[in-house]
Amino acid sequence: MDTNAICLYCHETVTDVRSAIDLIKGNGYDMIVTCLIVSKVDHMTNTLREGTSFSRSELILGTKQWSKNIVAKINEEFDADSVIPEIRKHSETILSRELSYADHVIPYAFMLMKVTSSATTNLARLIISKITKGQILIEIPMVNPSRLVDALCDEKEEFGMEENHEDTWHWWNELRSTADFTDKMSIALELSADIPSKWEMFRWQGEPIGCLIIPSHLFIRNRQNYPVLTKAHQNLILRFKEVINNIALMVKCNMEDDNLRFYATHLREVLNSRPTADPMYGSDDLLQVPLQPLYDNLDANTYEIFETDPIKYLFYQKAIERALVDLVAQKEIDTKMIIIMVVGAGRGPLVRSSLNAAAKTGRKIKIYAIEKNPHAINTLQALIDELWKDKDIELVAKDMRKFHPPEKADILVSELLGSFGDNELSPECLDGALQLLKPTGISIPSKYTSYVNPVMSFKAHNLIRCNEKSNPRDRISSPQHRSERMYVAYLKNVFHIANPQPLFEFIHPNWSETIDNSRFATVSFETKIDCVLTGFAGYFDTVLYKDIGLSIHPETHTKGLWSWFPVYFPLTEPIQLKSGNRIVANFWRSMGQNKVWYEWSVSKPTITHIHNLQGMHYKIYL
């Protein structure tokens, strides 16, 4: 389905598909939802005959037309989980036939199937048995219809009704859990007049929403007498668009509705009312292997990406400025020389920040630019020869841990932080570079702390599983079992089950007699709503100097900073959670002779094995 497609979901059966497509295109829609298997059409009267059915001929449209214009609606007249054997078997036959034919006519396209309860065990089995190429949109109301009726009817007994506030999310969760969390299903979420609670909304935003269904009765008349959605519903759609870039919208109405064109026009205006301003648009939920700049040499493209961050180096410059002012009193400006060592200088952005800081404060500085990457060294030498030839800069082509300088530094500046703070081995590098710093010297950064929180991210979960299934022997032949390794991911289609808790902290310079950078911490969280735990997201914040810092913590994220994405620690098997459950998680930062690795496990509400034990599947090399 095309990005932000507008579809028409007809109440009635479409008899003439070609004419229907012409109609919807003329009214501003991209696709139409219709059944592929319908009752026989009497061509004399163009009406449907009762009691017989047939499959629409695939020849009435070309293959591209089927895929681009049609969403195949699966017959609602079935109950694959009926307790009555005859109904169940008949439903199985109907459903199997329709899934098979839809898969034939519209391969790799969309089918729409309605679910009305959590009794879907047999349905789940049929879906995963039959569907091979296409994607099934599971139609589910955002709010249980009975909840709306209960709100309107004070005298339920008069109507012979029982209270039923079952959360419709459970309908979806029962189905997808039984279907082994298959990536062949996504949600067609039908909006209602009732806006869900905050936590319900957050949870839906963490699910694989393929489209939003908007019944025509939700439109109201504006002052110009045009049909529009309420501001609450417009904001709801835009909130989904923020986390699901390719969200599609379906208008549920009759084809004879006089407002067809106005519905589509209004929805396009809503979608375009808040243009995407996210600089990381397109990177959503992609899983990346974390960098290991100590072990590997970064390439030019990676350097360039980091150097274009508009905030990071500005804050570094402010921190260096503050340190220079603190180290050199006003009366000493003309006489005192400050030694700055930039360790891991890369292509020189922190050298530039140091020069800018010195110019702004009027302090004299000498810079040692220390770098081990031979390609970056070439760039640094060119900058020194051409741009900084009048500056006091000495290039050192060595690993910072092996350099023995003729003089020691007043300020040690580094950008060795990873998305989890310490995951690019900043502690080991800076501890190894202690011989460069005066006992009274300043380290920038001076402290960093990592954080984790539990999340539900089936997009990330299924990406990991799909990679494993693409090579069945990978788990045996590769030491990097993908479910037990850390990833970097720009998590958007995610439900944050609870707020982050602090995990590991490192302080520099570390003058302790015995330096131990291994860590262990247990953190606990409370579940606010029923959901599924798929893993943990990780973040960090850092104090560069005094009150100047950077953060990717969701609650304190530095505005405009995008140098670091969060990390993701997956669980090999999702854990079903109930509201009020206490989640207890354990994290280790372990060390070997030439490697560092993380291990993690869950102790409550259920017990998991320790993931990545002894760094078996993922490690960071010293």
Side-chain angles (χ1 to χ4, degrees):
M1 201 175 298
D2 292 338
T3 299
N4 297 337
I6 307 293
C7 309
L8 182 64
Y9 183 174
C10 303
H11 288 300
E12 71 272 25
T13 301
V14 175
T15 56
D16 187 338
V17 174
R18 288 181 178 276
S19 297
I21 291 174
D22 291 339
L23 176 66
I24 64 149
K25 293 286 185 181
N27 282 281
Y29 295 85
D30 301 295
M31 306 182 80
I32 187 169
V33 180
T34 186
C35 297
L36 295 186
I37 298 180
V38 297
S39 299
K40 282 282 190 181
V41 178
D42 187 329
H43 294 288
M44 297 294 292
T45 61
N46 202 31
T47 58
L48 302 176
R49 298 178 189 169
E50 297 297 327
T52 58
S53 65
F54 82 118
S55 301
R56 295 185 193 274
S57 169
E58 62 191 270
L59 298 179
I60 61 176
L61 295 174
T63 304
K64 289 184 178 179
Q65 287 180 294
W66 279 115
S67 296
K68 282 195 154 297
N69 298 314
I70 302 295
V71 175
K73 184 170 182 284
I74 304 299
N75 196 320
E76 294 179 15
E77 302 300 322
F78 70 87
D79 183 1
D81 286 86
S82 174
V83 296
I84 302 173
E86 291 80 6
I87 295 178
R88 176 177 57 78
K89 286 185 174 295
H90 180 63
S91 298
E92 288 179 4
T93 302
I94 294 174
L95 190 58
S96 296
R97 181 183 64 170
E98 296 212 11
L99 287 174
S100 177
Y101 191 62
D103 220 20
H104 166 70
V105 176
I106 319 179
Y108 309 108
F110 290 88
M111 290 159 269
L112 183 72
M113 178 184 295
K114 190 171 185 177
V115 168
T116 56
S117 75
S118 60
T120 53
T121 302
N122 195 42
L123 176 61
R125 174 184 169 274
L126 285 170
I127 290 174
I128 58 177
S129 299
K130 297 296 180 182
I131 188 69
T132 57
K133 302 172 187 174
Q135 183 80 13
I136 295 189
L137 293 166
I138 303 298
E139 181 182 346
I140 294 177
M142 178 178 279
V143 175
N144 194 325
S146 64
R147 184 163 124 189
L148 303 180
V149 176
D150 288 349
L152 295 172
C153 302
D154 294 328
E155 304 294 335
K156 301 182 186 65
E157 293 181 3
E158 179 182 338
F159 294 86
M161 295 168 51
E162 296 181 359
E163 288 196 30
N164 179 10
H165 297 295
E166 184 183 8
D167 187 346
T168 55
W169 175 83
H170 288 99
W171 300 0
W172 161 250
N173 191 45
E174 292 278 346
L175 177 62
R176 59 100 174 269
S177 298
T178 308
D180 194 26
F181 307 101
T182 176
D183 61 349
K184 291 292 186 180
M185 295 192 303
S186 53
I187 303 173
L189 191 63
E190 182 170 348
L191 308 189
S192 68
D194 190 14
I195 301 296
S197 70
K198 177 180 74 172
W199 283 101
E200 287 176 317
M201 183 66 190
F202 289 160
R203 185 178 59 188
W204 282 123
Q205 286 181 305
E207 294 289 3
I209 305 293
C211 70
L212 300 177
I213 299 175
I214 305 162
S216 58
H217 65 76
L218 293 183
F219 289 84
I220 59 173
R221 295 282 175 176
N222 64 8
R223 291 180 180 177
Q224 289 75 38
N225 203 34
Y226 289 114
V228 296
L229 294 173
T230 66
K231 284 294 182 184
H233 284 95
Q234 291 181 43
N235 288 333
L236 186 148
I237 290 171
L238 290 172
R239 285 169 67 183
F240 275 105
K241 183 191 172 189
E242 286 175 0
V243 298
I244 305 165
N245 292 327
N246 60 340
I247 192 75
L249 303 179
M250 286 184 181
V251 180
K252 201 172 190 179
C253 66
N254 293 315
M255 289 184 66
E256 292 79 17
D257 194 314
D258 294 334
N259 294 304
L260 277 184
R261 180 186 299 274
F262 301 117
Y263 298 150
T265 300
H266 174 65
L267 291 178
R268 292 198 189 279
E269 290 173 350
V270 171
L271 290 173
N272 295 329
S273 65
R274 195 178 297 170
T276 301
D278 188 346
M280 293 295 100
Y281 179 84
S283 300
D284 309 2
D285 302 292
L286 296 177
L287 300 177
Q288 303 174 43
V289 178
L291 296 173
Q292 295 201 32
L294 186 59
Y295 185 75
D296 299 318
N297 290 323
L298 302 183
D299 58 32
N301 180 61
T302 303
Y303 281 126
E304 185 174 309
I305 291 171
F306 291 146
E307 291 164 6
T308 53
D309 190 301
I311 298 298
K312 176 180 178 180
Y313 298 107
L314 177 62
F315 276 62
Y316 263 97
Q317 179 180 321
K318 290 180 179 179
I320 298 168
E321 287 175 19
R322 183 81 66 84
L324 288 174
V325 170
D326 288 350
L327 284 171
V328 182
Q330 194 71 23
K331 62 182 180 180
E332 300 175 310
I333 287 180
D334 295 329
T335 59
K336 189 167 182 180
M337 176 72 74
I338 295 296
I339 305 300
I340 297 178
M341 292 191 184
V342 178
V343 292
R347 302 198 308 182
L350 287 182
V351 174
R352 190 174 292 108
S353 295
S354 300
L355 293 172
N356 292 342
K360 196 163 185 180
T361 58
R363 269 54 176 180
K364 290 183 176 181
I365 64 170
K366 177 179 180 179
I367 298 176
Y368 286 85
I370 306 168
E371 176 57 50
K372 69 173 181 63
N373 183 346
H375 305 298
I377 289 166
N378 289 336
T379 304
L380 285 169
Q381 188 63 62
L383 288 169
I384 292 170
D385 293 342
E386 300 168 15
L387 189 63
W388 300 328
K389 55 187 173 184
D390 59 336
K391 308 299 182 184
D392 193 353
I393 301 174
E394 183 172 330
L395 177 58
V396 179
K398 282 187 178 182
D399 185 312
M400 69 188 77
R401 297 167 294 178
K402 298 177 181 178
F403 176 47
H404 299 285
E407 54 189 338
K408 295 202 172 186
D410 297 288
I411 304 175
L412 196 68
V413 185
S414 66
E415 54 173 328
L416 306 169
L417 300 173
S419 295
F420 202 47
D422 58 89
N423 64 292
E424 292 185 10
L425 306 187
S426 178
E428 287 70 29
C429 291
L430 294 182
D431 292 343
L434 271 179
Q435 80 277 2
L436 306 179
L437 190 64
K438 293 177 181 177
T440 56
I442 295 169
S443 174
I444 299 176
S446 60
K447 183 174 80 168
Y448 36 93
T449 306
S450 55
Y451 301 82
V452 291
N453 72 318
V455 297
M456 180 178 75
S457 175
F458 278 100
K459 192 165 185 181
H461 176 77
N462 280 326
L463 279 171
I464 294 169
R465 287 185 12 142
C466 284
N467 285 337
E468 287 177 354
K469 290 176 181 177
S470 66
N471 183 0
R473 294 180 297 175
D474 186 59
R475 292 180 61 171
I476 299 172
S477 62
S478 172
Q480 298 179 332
H481 179 193
R482 292 182 177 90
S483 295
E484 298 200 28
R485 60 179 305 162
M486 181 178 75
Y487 296 91
V488 172
Y490 184 40
L491 297 170
K492 286 188 70 177
N493 189 184
V494 61
F495 171 48
H496 295 274
I497 297 170
N499 292 331
Q501 298 291 332
L503 200 66
F504 306 141
E505 182 180 274
F506 295 88
I507 296 175
H508 299 287
N510 182 2
W511 298 110
S512 302
E513 289 186 14
T514 302
I515 295 178
D516 182 5
N517 288 325
S518 63
R519 298 284 191 275
F520 170 69
T522 296
V523 286
S524 65
F525 311 87
E526 183 180 342
T527 309
K528 301 291 186 183
I529 192 171
D530 294 3
C531 56
V532 183
L533 174 64
T534 64
F536 295 86
Y539 322 89
F540 82 98
D541 63 21
T542 179
V543 176
L544 295 175
Y545 182 65
K546 291 190 172 178
D547 62 344
I548 301 172
L550 296 168
S551 173
I552 65 166
H553 187 296
E555 296 174 350
T556 60
H557 199 293
T558 305
K559 187 175 182 181
L561 178 71
W562 48 261
S563 274
W564 297 278
F565 293 163
V567 299
Y568 180 61
F569 294 96
L571 295 175
T572 53
E573 294 296 332
I575 298 173
Q576 301 285 344
L577 299 174
K578 292 292 184 183
S579 177
N581 277 164
R582 185 167 167 246
I583 304 169
V584 177
N586 312 291
F587 282 83
W588 293 262
R589 187 183 196 266
S590 302
M591 304 187 66
Q593 185 175 358
N594 63 344
K595 63 183 180 179
V596 174
W597 68 93
Y598 299 100
E599 301 172 4
W600 60 98
S601 72
V602 174
S603 299
K604 291 183 179 180
T606 188
I607 299 175
T608 70
H609 70 283
I610 297 174
H611 293 60
N612 195 37
L613 185 64
Q614 293 295 306
M616 184 181 300
H617 306 296
Y618 175 72
K619 58 188 72 70
I620 311 159
Y621 293 100
L622 287 164

